[in-house]
Amino acid sequence: MMLRRSSFVHLVPLGPRMVLALHAASQMRLTVTDEIAAIIAHFATPQPRDDAVASLAASLGHPPDTIHAGIDLLTSHGILTIASDAEEQASLAADLSPLHGRDPAALLDRYRRARAEGAHPYWSVASPRGLAASPTGRRVDVLLLGECELQMEADFLRLDAAARGIDLHVAAAFPHDIELVAERRHDAIIIGALQARHAIILGEPRHHDNADPAGVYVGAMRALLDRLRAVSAAPILIDGLPEPTLQPLGIADRGIHSHRNRFRRANLGLAELAEQYSDVTLVDIAATLAGAGADTLLDDGLVSFSHFGAPGWMLLRPERERDAVHGQFPDLVTLADQLGGDPNRRERVTARAHLDCLVSLLAIDRRKCVIVDLDGVLWPGVLAETGAPFAWAPDISGPNSFIGLYFGIHEALLALRRRGILLACVSKNDESTVRTLWRYQPQDPHERLLRPEHFVTSRINWTDKANNIAAIAEELGFAETDFVFIDDSPRERARIAQALPGVAVLGDNLFALRRALLTDPRLQPPRLTETSAQRSELVRAQLDRARLRATMPDEASFLAALAPRAQASLLTPDTPTDTLDRVAELFARTTQFNTTGARFSPAELAHLVAHPASQVAILHMQDNSAAHGLVGAAVLRDGEILNLVMSCRVIGLGGEAALLAALLAEQNARGAPLAGRILATDRNLPVRHLYRDAGFHLDADGVWRHHPAAAAQPAGSCSAIRRAS
C-alpha cells in the first residue's frame, strides 16, 4: 500500500519536540511529538507502507507495531493518505459539490465541522500525540456540548480512555450547536454546565418572576434535551453543577434559597429531569469534586461565585492577558504550590468521572460475575482454624472497628448482587468443613452478611483455582472476560492473571476493595430492571434445569418435564421505560445467542418503536422451574432483522421459534419477505443455525431470507402474537 503526506497538511514547529500538524481544508489541528512529525515528513514522497515502517522502526528505535500505530493515527486524521494528489482533490470536491452554489465560507465550515475533533482552540489543553500502541478496544465517538470547563477536558478524556484500551474520539461544540449533533453520529453526548447557571446567583424568586431560581436552570436543560432528542437518540450525560465552596454572605446565607442550596436544588431538579427522558444520565460533579478536594478544583475561592472553573486555569493564561492588569500580577508560584503543581487536575478528575459513566452506559468491558475467595476475604484467617467467621461481640468493639472491614466487604458484594451481578466462590478447603462452620452468631449483623445461598455456584475443593474458575465459566456459559476474581493471596492472583488473562483480578488491598467493587463502572448497570434484581435466582434455576437435563434419557423427555411456554409480542409507542431499559440491557449483555452484535439504547429503541418501518419484538418465557421474564428481543427495520438476541438462561427451550414467528407474522401480513444476517463471533455459536433451522434460505449476498410462500412459520410453543405496552 502506497502512502503519502496529504497535500493539504502543513507542519508548524511549536517548540522543543512539539509540532502542530494543520489540515488546510478540514482545519483539523493535531499537536504531535517530533517522532510523529518525523513519520509525517518521511511520507513527503509516496512510499510503500511496509518499507516505510521498516525504515522508521530502525531510525526511531521503536518496534514495527508502534510505528504502525503512529501511521494509523495519522491516516485516521487525514494527515497521511493512500490517495494520489488528484484523487484527494477529487474527493474533497465530491464532498463539497452537493452544496455547490451556496456560500463558500459556510460550505467549508460545514465540511470542517463534520470532521472536527477536540475542543475549541482557545480552550484546547492537549499533550502532543506521540508513538504508542493503538488502543485495542472498541471505538467510541463522543460529543462534548459545553464551555470551557468541559471542552478543556477533551484530551484528558482521550488519555483516560486510552489507558483503559478504549479508542475514544472526542468532538466539542457549544450547547446551542444542535446542527452538529444532527450532522454526525455519536455514541454518546456529554452536556456541561449551561450559561443559565449564572441566573442562579440571583437567588430570590422575585428575580425570576416568582419562579424557583433553581428551576430556571432546570428549564434551560429541559429545553436543550428536547432539542437534542429531536435529532439524536444517543445516550446523554448531563453534568450536575458543582456545589460552591464559599457562601457570599457567610453563615448568614440561610434557607432553601441560600447560595449553596440553590445549586443543590438545581441538582435535585436535574436528577428528576433525567428520569423523564430515555437514556439520560446525571453525572454527580459535586460529589466527584468533593471526593478529590473541591477547594483546589473550583475557582469560586479565586475569581467568581458562578464561573465554576478550575483554579489551575490561572496558571495557563497567555501572557497577553496580563495587559489587563498593567503587566503586574502576584507570583504564580504561590498558586501552583497551593494546587500541588498540576494545573489540570480538575480535568483529570472529571474526565475519569465521565469515562466511568460512558463505560457503564455503553457496556464496555462489562463484568457479569464476581468470584470470591473465602478465607482472608470474607472473614479473617482460615475458617477451619478459627472455627467461626467472626469472634465479634458488642462488648469487644463497635461494628465499625476492625471487624467493620469484613462487614463492609460482605455488604458491598450484596449490593452488587442487587445490581444483577452474579456471585460465586472458589476456595481451597474441605467443603463439608466450610459449610458446617459457615454460621453467624446472633449478635452478627445478619442482614449485611453473605450466606452460601447468595452464591449461584461454588467450587470448594483442593483443585487449582484457575481450573475451578474455568469450570464455573463453562457451567454459566460465560467468557473469562465476564468475571472478576478476588483473592488475598498474591500467588493465587498471579496464577489467575497468567492462566486466565481476561479475568479482572482484585484483592491486593483489602482496604480499597469495598470502594473498588462499588465504584467500578464495569460492575454498574446504568439502570436496574426487574430482571436485574432476580438474576441470581433465575441463574440458579437455570443450573437446576441443567442438572435435571442430565438425569433425563433424552431431550424430548426433558422438555416434557419442564413444559416451557413462550410468548412473543411487538412493542408499541407507549411501552414503559423500564421495558425499554430491559430490552437495551439484553442487547448489551447477550453474547452467545446474538445474531449481529448490534446494540440499541433505550432512546434508539423508542425511536424504532415509533417509526412505521420498524418493529421491536420481545419474548417472555416461563416453565415449571421458574418465570424467566423478558428474555429475548429482536429489531426489525425495512424487512431485515438488525439483531435478534436471547438470554443464555433459556437457550434450548425453543423461545427463538416464538420470536421469529412474531416477526414472520408481521412480514407475512405485509406480503413481504423477512431477512436476517449472522455475523459470526467466537461467542455466538448457539445462534449460527437460527435462520437455517427456521426455513430461511441463504442468498448469494450473504443474507438469509424467508419468503411468505417459501415455508411454514417455525414451530414453537408461542401463544397469540400481541402488541405489548
Side-chain angles (χ1 to χ4, degrees):
M1 175 193 299
M2 297 292 289
L3 274 177
R4 67 178 186 88
R5 171 175 154 180
S6 167
S7 306
F8 296 102
V9 168
H10 302 277
L11 299 180
V12 181
L14 296 178
R17 300 179 60 82
M18 287 179 61
V19 176
L20 176 67
L22 175 65
H23 194 287
S26 68
Q27 289 293 292
M28 187 283 309
R29 299 171 175 85
L30 189 68
T31 305
V32 299
T33 64
D34 55 349
E35 290 183 323
I36 292 288
I39 294 178
I40 300 172
H42 193 83
F43 286 97
T45 57
Q47 296 188 48
R49 175 170 177 150
D50 290 342
D51 292 351
V53 166
S55 174
L56 288 165
S59 63
L60 297 177
H62 288 283
D65 285 350
T66 303
I67 302 297
H68 275 298
I71 292 175
D72 289 341
L73 168 71
L74 297 172
T75 54
S76 69
H77 285 78
I79 297 172
L80 299 182
T81 177
I82 61 173
S84 67
D85 182 64
E87 290 170 337
E88 186 178 20
Q89 294 198 41
S91 176
L92 176 61
D95 285 332
L96 299 180
S97 61
L99 304 176
H100 176 69
R102 298 188 186 180
D103 177 7
L107 181 151
L108 266 176
D109 181 60
R110 179 166 181 170
Y111 174 82
R112 290 164 177 169
R113 283 155 48 83
R115 291 153 180 80
E117 185 169 324
H120 187 282
Y122 181 77
W123 293 325
S124 179
V125 182
S127 55
R129 301 284 189 100
L131 280 173
S134 296
T136 56
R138 173 176 163 191
R139 171 170 175 154
V140 175
D141 288 270
V142 172
L143 174 64
L144 309 182
L145 288 180
E147 299 185 33
C148 50
E149 80 288 338
L150 183 62
Q151 293 206 25
M152 288 182 73
E153 195 183 307
D155 205 52
F156 298 96
L157 279 167
R158 181 186 62 80
L159 292 171
D160 197 321
R164 308 184 196 202
I166 302 169
D167 184 17
L168 187 71
H169 293 249
V170 181
F174 296 104
H176 64 265
D177 196 355
I178 304 300
E179 251 185 82
L180 180 60
V181 181
E183 290 167 0
R184 296 171 59 173
R185 182 194 177 278
H186 302 93
D187 294 300
I189 299 168
I190 303 177
I191 304 174
L194 305 180
Q195 278 285 328
R197 70 184 183 275
H198 299 295
I200 300 177
I201 294 298
L202 294 174
E204 297 296 329
R206 60 188 174 85
H207 295 127
H208 303 285
D209 296 325
N210 291 319
D212 183 351
V216 174
Y217 186 86
V218 176
M221 185 64 75
R222 182 190 302 277
L224 178 57
L225 288 175
D226 287 342
R227 295 174 67 199
L228 288 174
R229 275 292 171 251
V231 297
S232 174
I236 297 174
L237 305 181
I238 57 175
D239 279 354
L241 294 171
E243 285 190 8
T245 64
L246 296 176
Q247 294 264 70
L249 304 182
I251 196 171
D253 215 340
R254 297 168 179 265
I256 62 171
H257 294 306
S258 70
H259 178 67
R260 186 174 288 129
N261 282 338
R262 291 196 294 273
F263 289 92
R264 288 172 174 164
R265 287 165 60 81
N267 284 335
L268 289 174
L270 291 175
E272 293 179 348
L273 179 67
E275 293 307 296
Q276 298 170 23
Y277 292 82
S278 182
D279 226 12
V280 172
T281 301
L282 178 67
V283 181
D284 194 339
I285 293 296
T288 296
L289 298 181
D295 57 337
T296 61
L297 301 177
L298 278 180
D299 63 2
D300 64 344
L302 190 65
V303 296
S304 165
F305 284 125
S306 64
H307 181 240
F308 288 156
W313 298 351
M314 188 75 74
L315 302 173
L316 302 172
R317 297 294 182 179
E319 282 297 310
R320 62 180 175 79
E321 294 186 5
R322 288 179 180 261
D323 292 347
V325 292
H326 307 295
Q328 302 177 55
F329 201 70
D331 190 346
L332 288 172
V333 171
T334 303
L335 178 61
D337 290 343
Q338 181 181 323
L339 302 179
D342 183 359
N344 292 119
R345 182 164 170 263
R346 157 77 174 268
E347 287 74 31
R348 298 182 209 283
V349 168
T350 53
R352 181 168 187 83
H354 285 133
L355 248 298
D356 282 349
C357 281
L358 288 173
V359 167
S360 172
L361 283 174
L362 302 178
I364 298 172
D365 195 24
R366 180 167 292 174
R367 303 290 161 147
K368 299 179 181 179
C369 180
V370 175
I371 301 178
V372 189
D373 175 39
L374 299 178
D375 292 334
V377 176
L378 293 191
W379 45 70
V382 177
L383 185 60
E385 297 173 357
T386 61
F390 310 116
W392 176 74
D395 61 339
I396 297 176
S397 74
N400 298 310
S401 183
F402 297 122
I403 191 66
L405 176 69
Y406 298 96
F407 290 170
I409 291 172
H410 279 249
E411 190 175 53
L413 290 167
L414 283 170
L416 295 188
R417 190 172 183 270
R418 291 197 296 274
R419 296 178 188 181
I421 306 298
L422 303 180
L423 302 181
C425 67
V426 166
S427 176
K428 286 187 175 178
N429 253 308
D430 177 74
E431 183 169 8
S432 62
T433 300
V434 169
R435 294 195 179 278
T436 298
L437 298 177
W438 194 339
R439 300 285 187 271
Y440 301 120
Q441 301 300 315
Q443 68 271 18
D444 291 334
H446 290 237
E447 73 283 356
R448 298 178 62 195
L449 300 177
L450 288 161
R451 300 186 301 275
E453 58 266 30
H454 287 133
F455 297 87
V456 296
T457 187
S458 301
R459 295 294 188 278
I460 304 174
N461 52 41
W462 300 105
T463 302
D464 176 67
K465 288 187 179 180
N467 292 339
N468 275 331
I469 292 174
I472 288 175
E474 183 176 0
E475 180 183 20
L476 296 177
F478 289 177
E480 66 178 58
T481 52
D482 291 328
F483 291 98
V484 173
F485 174 63
I486 304 171
D487 201 305
D488 64 317
S489 165
R491 183 178 61 82
E492 295 290 3
R493 292 197 303 271
R495 165 66 180 145
I496 300 306
Q498 181 272 328
L500 302 170
V503 174
V505 180
L506 301 176
D508 59 318
N509 181 358
L510 290 186
F511 297 109
L513 180 59
R514 174 183 164 94
R515 181 173 294 277
L517 291 172
L518 293 175
T519 60
D520 191 325
R522 300 172 298 177
L523 298 171
Q524 294 192 51
R527 289 186 181 272
L528 298 186
T529 64
E530 184 178 350
T531 301
S532 301
Q534 300 173 349
R535 184 162 289 119
S536 289
E537 287 72 22
L538 293 171
V539 170
R540 288 174 73 94
Q542 172 192 352
L543 299 180
D544 289 342
R545 289 196 305 275
R547 287 186 278 273
L548 173 64
R549 179 183 266 121
T551 67
M552 291 292 174
D554 52 45
E555 190 71 9
S557 301
F558 166 69
L559 291 176
L562 202 61
R565 280 94 66 195
Q567 183 177 61
S569 53
L570 299 176
L571 297 185
T572 60
D574 58 350
T575 297
T577 300
D578 56 354
T579 300
L580 296 176
D581 290 338
R582 170 56 181 158
V583 175
E585 181 184 47
L586 275 170
F587 283 112
R589 288 179 60 94
T590 306
T591 58
Q592 294 186 76
F593 210 94
N594 186 319
T595 58
T596 68
R599 300 182 180 193
F600 306 93
S601 71
E604 288 171 328
L605 291 168
H607 178 76
L608 287 163
V609 169
H611 198 282
S614 58
Q615 291 81 37
V616 178
I618 60 173
L619 173 72
H620 286 81
M621 290 196 71
Q622 60 180 334
D623 56 42
N624 290 341
S625 71
H628 305 294
L630 205 171
V631 290
V635 170
L636 179 70
R637 188 174 66 194
D638 296 325
E640 180 174 342
I641 301 172
L642 302 185
N643 197 8
L644 185 152
V645 299
M646 191 171 68
S647 170
C648 62
R649 291 187 282 108
V650 294
I651 290 177
L653 301 185
E656 64 274 19
L659 198 52
L660 276 178
L663 299 176
L664 283 167
E666 187 73 10
Q667 288 303 101
N668 286 346
R670 300 169 184 236
L674 180 63
R677 303 170 190 267
I678 303 287
L679 302 182
T681 70
D682 59 352
R683 295 281 297 148
N684 70 350
L685 190 62
V687 82
R688 299 283 177 82
H689 301 309
L690 169 70
Y691 296 132
R692 183 201 67 183
D693 294 345
F696 285 62
H697 298 282
L698 182 62
D699 290 338
D701 58 1
V703 178
W704 292 89
R705 289 185 175 85
H706 189 292
H707 295 273
Q713 291 184 13
S717 54
C718 177
S719 63
I721 310 292
R722 61 184 177 90
R723 295 277 172 179
S725 62

